[in-house]
Amino acid sequence: MRLYLKHITPFLFLTGSRGVYGFVIPTREVNTDSEGSTTRVLVLGGGVAGVIAARTLHEQGIDDFVVVEARDELGGRLHSTPFGGYVVEVGANWIQGKQKHNGQINPIWTLAQKHGLRTHISDFYGSLKTFDETGEADFVDVFNAAVSNFDGYVDYAGYRLSKDLIDLTARSTYDCIGKIPRNAHEMAAEYMNFDWEYAQTPLQSSGIATARNSNFTFEPEAGGFSDVNIMSIDQRGFKTFIQQEAESFLQPEQLRLNTLVNDVEWSDSGVKAVFSNGSSISADYAICTFSFGVLKNDDVKFVPDFPGEFRICH
């Protein structure tokens, strides 16, 4: 099925491979703006979602677009740096799940293979050593219990969802099943299973949303891929797979690096992105791939603000 711009929403939010949010604004004739450049589609953000959005436009024969990225390279949260004679990741580092039996293939795994990314399977559960303030201390059994606790947590969150019960914080969800860390070893084990994995504490996290995230990532029956964790050890950087994918179709005039978006003005007559250097690009449509963190922190001002039902809430 071909993609016709007049049939899509003039403002879309893409915040990952599973979320597309948008609302309809009346379509319009081709935009002209004497103060800046013009294009048919603005892709805001040059991470994985932004690059794949641009690739999809290209595949559908729509090449009048511009990808805008604040950093000096594509990749978004895929970010690496030299350290001690090696290239190490300071952003995303793992491909979580690839394929189970004849289930769906993780599209990130497909791209990693396509571009020859060097990887290694991380055996989190079979090769652990644990330490505390005294040095090496064997509390792997406590860690394994924390893994089981999280499985129970996911089951209980699913029960609450099935009964239309109010969502709780992840901390309260743990509390409801009686899994409260009582000592330093138990706290460290829970930290490894939750805080480290989700980059937030249980008190900051939704009980149901966290459980869904786990299922949608690892459980094929829930739409996930598999429970394999594949670590990028490629000395070109994990970002290589998406940068090389972009090189296969992006033309220089379709990419603006080092371009920080300050404001996005939108109305029924189009969309205009205003940058920190005072320049701007106007377009008929915009695809916003900024992370939830950027949106919630108001790093970019939308003028006017979106209706309440489309705002990102904590």
Side-chain angles (χ1 to χ4, degrees):
M1 181 180 71
R2 291 193 64 81
L3 176 68
Y4 295 96
L5 283 178
K6 66 180 181 179
H7 292 153
I8 68 174
T9 59
F11 213 118
L12 289 179
F13 281 106
L14 303 182
T15 59
S17 61
R18 299 184 183 279
V20 180
Y21 305 89
F23 56 93
V24 176
I25 304 170
T27 56
R28 53 189 287 281
E29 297 301 320
V30 174
N31 175 69
T32 59
D33 179 5
S34 60
E35 298 177 359
S37 304
T38 62
T39 190
R40 186 68 168 154
V41 184
L42 262 178
V43 180
L44 303 176
V48 173
V51 171
I52 298 305
R55 188 189 69 180
T56 302
L57 291 171
H58 170 73
E59 290 171 345
Q60 296 295 323
I62 301 166
D63 285 305
D64 186 7
F65 63 81
V66 174
V67 178
V68 177
E69 168 57 38
R71 293 174 53 227
D72 61 357
E73 63 178 356
L74 294 172
R77 284 181 265 187
L78 302 171
H79 183 47
S80 56
T81 190
F83 181 80
Y86 294 93
V87 172
V88 298
E89 302 300 328
V90 294
N93 206 152
W94 282 270
I95 302 169
Q96 294 185 298
K98 54 181 183 179
Q99 183 184 29
K100 188 170 184 179
H101 305 309
N102 294 321
Q104 61 178 336
I105 301 175
N106 186 334
I108 302 299
W109 176 242
T110 298
L111 288 173
Q113 291 182 298
K114 176 180 178 181
H115 297 294
L117 194 75
R118 189 180 176 202
T119 61
H120 190 277
I121 292 178
S122 291
D123 183 4
F124 289 122
Y125 305 110
S127 59
L128 281 178
K129 282 192 175 182
T130 52
F131 298 79
D132 62 16
E133 71 278 5
T134 67
E136 187 170 346
D138 185 3
F139 56 95
V140 173
D141 58 330
V142 178
F143 176 83
N144 290 334
V147 174
S148 297
N149 292 347
F150 185 75
D151 291 340
Y153 162 104
V154 171
D155 290 342
Y156 180 67
Y159 166 78
R160 293 189 66 87
L161 181 63
S162 70
K163 298 298 184 182
D164 291 325
L165 298 176
I166 190 171
D167 194 11
L168 302 172
T169 66
R171 177 75 280 143
S172 294
T173 305
Y174 270 124
D175 293 349
C176 285
I177 61 171
K179 303 303 179 182
I180 304 171
R182 304 289 185 183
N183 55 54
H185 288 179
E186 291 179 356
M187 291 177 184
E190 184 186 270
Y191 179 93
M192 180 67 174
N193 277 278
F194 196 100
D195 306 51
W196 180 80
E197 182 69 33
Y198 293 102
Q200 292 188 133
T201 68
L203 191 60
Q204 296 171 304
S205 305
S206 158
I208 289 174
T210 301
R212 278 176 158 171
N213 176 279
S214 178
N215 285 339
F216 289 162
T217 301
F218 298 112
E219 302 297 334
E221 59 271 21
F225 304 110
S226 71
D227 59 3
V228 175
N229 286 282
I230 307 161
M231 183 179 182
S232 171
I233 57 173
D234 200 303
Q235 290 302 288
R236 299 170 297 171
F238 193 13
K239 61 195 176 187
T240 295
F241 79 85
I242 199 64
Q243 291 180 347
Q244 290 195 351
E245 186 67 14
E247 288 176 5
S248 70
F249 69 91
L250 266 186
Q251 301 302 311
E253 64 273 14
Q254 294 173 316
L255 178 60
R256 298 282 187 93
L257 296 175
N258 298 303
T259 304
L260 183 66
V261 179
N262 278 357
D263 304 293
V264 178
E265 303 169 2
W266 63 275
S267 69
D268 58 3
S269 61
V271 182
K272 178 179 177 180
V274 181
F275 310 124
S276 60
N277 63 4
S279 66
S280 65
I281 299 179
S282 295
D284 300 305
Y285 302 88
I287 301 174
C288 180
T289 71
F290 298 145
S291 69
F292 281 155
V294 169
L295 295 172
K296 290 194 293 184
N297 288 331
D298 294 326
D299 292 337
V300 178
K301 183 179 180 181
F302 292 88
V303 183
D305 202 354
F306 294 113
E309 64 268 28
F310 293 104
R311 293 177 189 156
I312 308 301
C313 302
H314 290 280

